[in-house]
Amino acid sequence: MKSPTINLNVGKSTLPMPILGYGTWQATDKELADAVEAALEAGYRHIDTAHVYENEKVIGDILKKWFDAGKLKREDIFLVTKLPPGGMRPEGVRKYIRRSLDLLQLDYVDLYLVHTPFGFKDVEGDLHPTTPEGNIDLDLTTDHLAIWKAMEEQVDKGLAKSIGLSNFNICQISRILKNARIPPSSLQIELNAYFQQNELVDFCKKNNIVVTAYSPLGNPGLKKLFDKLGKQIELPNILNNPTVERLAKKHNKSNAQILLRHLVQKGISTIPKSTNPARLRQNLDIFNFKLDEQDLVDMNGLDTGARLLDFLIFNGIKNHPEYPFNE
């Protein structure tokens, strides 16, 4: 199985990115190593990670193993990683892309994203520094334009083939677009059938920015994180939605395949995460059928505007002037 590609705008040319990739958030070292092996075997060639996931070394080890064995060439893989909130200053961009490349054992990444529009204090060895009161230790001096200029430098140096954003709102993206020498090629956001973000998606399409959806299945594993943090929350179960179940039966596909097909058919890249080899293969097997016009109408009608990841698990985050969800 192989994913079709979608073209990223990188100035005077385009860069093909597999529209369906493999997400790696919230996977442990051994579990992730086995899952990345299974993903590569299944045919995934787009892998998404981030420095704050603390799993770049694991991914790098597996990729090196495949490269050394001649099973893949570097150009066969589209690798995405992200600048951590603690690196939200020009010198942080330079520091953390080098650190990510060292961990990944690569000379360049295909796409480097600014992970969040807000910044933390850069405390060595602590990606989520907190004050004694338990609040996140925020850096309130975040300068997006200076940070973006440093991001552009990484393209000039050949350390990133393309650059983009994650979790930014329309106002924040517009500010960068007005001042960018190299415009953002991609925006990664929470997006699924219950949270379709149509205004933001339309804005990105008008500005030639490819949208990538994280949590495309509603992130059923998120409850573990909230439980660990002592946060009691009821998560909506998109996978069991009656409309999704009906369309799965109609097309003889799984519920997850319907949710993923809905996104890619609208030109939205998506990065589902699973550590189950069978589900990994199943998630990639969505390019041999299409939802018809009424199916799309029904799926579009599921939008409730229900955001799951608002970053409020970080105490005090709404006090940052660049908190993105105050619009």
Side-chain angles (χ1 to χ4, degrees), residues 238-253:
I238 306 174
L239 284 162
N240 290 344
N241 180 275
T243 297
V244 176
E245 291 185 332
R246 174 175 57 80
L247 293 179
K249 290 177 182 174
K250 173 181 174 179
H251 292 280
N252 194 28
K253 289 290 184 178

Side-chain angles (χ1 to χ4, degrees), residues 81-321:
T81 194
K82 309 176 189 80
L83 175 72
M88 288 291 282
R89 55 200 64 80
E91 63 272 21
V93 174
R94 301 176 193 115
K95 168 184 171 179
Y96 280 104
I97 192 169
R98 291 282 185 182
R99 187 166 292 183
S100 288
L101 289 170
D102 285 347
L103 291 166
L104 291 163
Q105 301 167 70
L106 300 176
D107 296 325
Y108 67 90
V109 292
D110 298 276
L111 175 59
Y112 195 52
L113 302 177
V114 182
H115 202 155
T116 63
F118 50 80
F120 300 159
K121 297 287 178 64
D122 190 7
V123 179
E124 191 63 39
D126 187 355
L127 291 170
H128 303 295
T130 58
T131 64
E133 295 79 22
N135 291 334
I136 287 293
D137 202 354
L138 299 174
D139 179 358
L140 302 179
T141 63
T142 305
D143 182 345
H144 286 167
L145 300 186
I147 291 164
W148 192 254
K149 186 176 180 180
M151 293 286 286
E152 293 173 329
E153 289 173 7
Q154 308 319 304
V155 178
D156 297 337
K157 293 175 183 176
L159 301 182
K161 284 198 168 185
S162 60
I163 48 178
L165 306 168
S166 182
N167 299 302
F168 278 57
N169 63 34
I170 289 175
C171 179
Q172 293 165 334
I173 301 167
S174 297
R175 188 190 313 146
I176 290 171
L177 283 171
K178 287 176 185 175
N179 294 277
R181 175 170 57 88
I182 302 174
S185 63
S186 182
L187 174 71
Q188 190 176 123
I189 52 173
E190 178 186 359
L191 198 154
N192 54 60
Y194 281 1
F195 189 53
Q196 297 184 30
Q197 301 223 62
N198 292 318
E199 183 183 3
L200 183 51
V201 170
D202 289 345
F203 171 84
C204 287
K205 286 184 177 179
K206 287 175 184 174
N207 287 281
N208 209 9
I209 299 170
V210 169
V211 173
T212 295
Y214 68 75
S215 298
L217 306 178
N219 207 327
L222 194 59
K223 190 174 187 311
K224 291 180 182 178
L225 175 62
F226 284 128
D227 288 346
K228 183 179 178 182
L229 295 169
K231 306 276 186 179
Q232 299 299 316
I233 187 168
E234 283 294 322
L235 298 176
N237 192 332
I238 306 174
L239 284 162
N240 290 344
N241 180 275
T243 297
V244 176
E245 291 185 332
R246 174 175 57 80
L247 293 179
K249 290 177 182 174
K250 173 181 174 179
H251 292 280
N252 194 28
K253 289 290 184 178
S254 72
N255 295 11
Q257 287 171 315
I258 297 298
L259 290 168
L260 297 174
R261 181 70 210 181
H262 174 233
L263 294 176
V264 301
Q265 199 162 317
K266 297 201 294 183
I268 295 170
S269 171
T270 183
I271 45 171
K273 174 242 173 181
S274 176
T275 56
N276 180 295
R279 283 199 291 272
L280 276 170
R281 292 190 296 272
Q282 192 179 73
N283 288 344
L284 191 56
D285 186 22
I286 61 169
F287 301 107
N288 56 3
F289 80 106
K290 284 189 176 181
L291 300 174
D292 63 35
E293 191 171 333
Q294 187 58 50
D295 296 339
L296 291 173
V297 169
D298 293 345
M299 290 297 296
N300 290 342
L302 298 181
D303 192 8
T304 66
R307 185 189 300 277
L308 297 180
L309 289 160
D310 54 14
F311 300 110
L312 296 184
I313 56 173
F314 300 127
N315 293 330
I317 197 66
K318 288 191 80 170
N319 296 325
H320 198 289

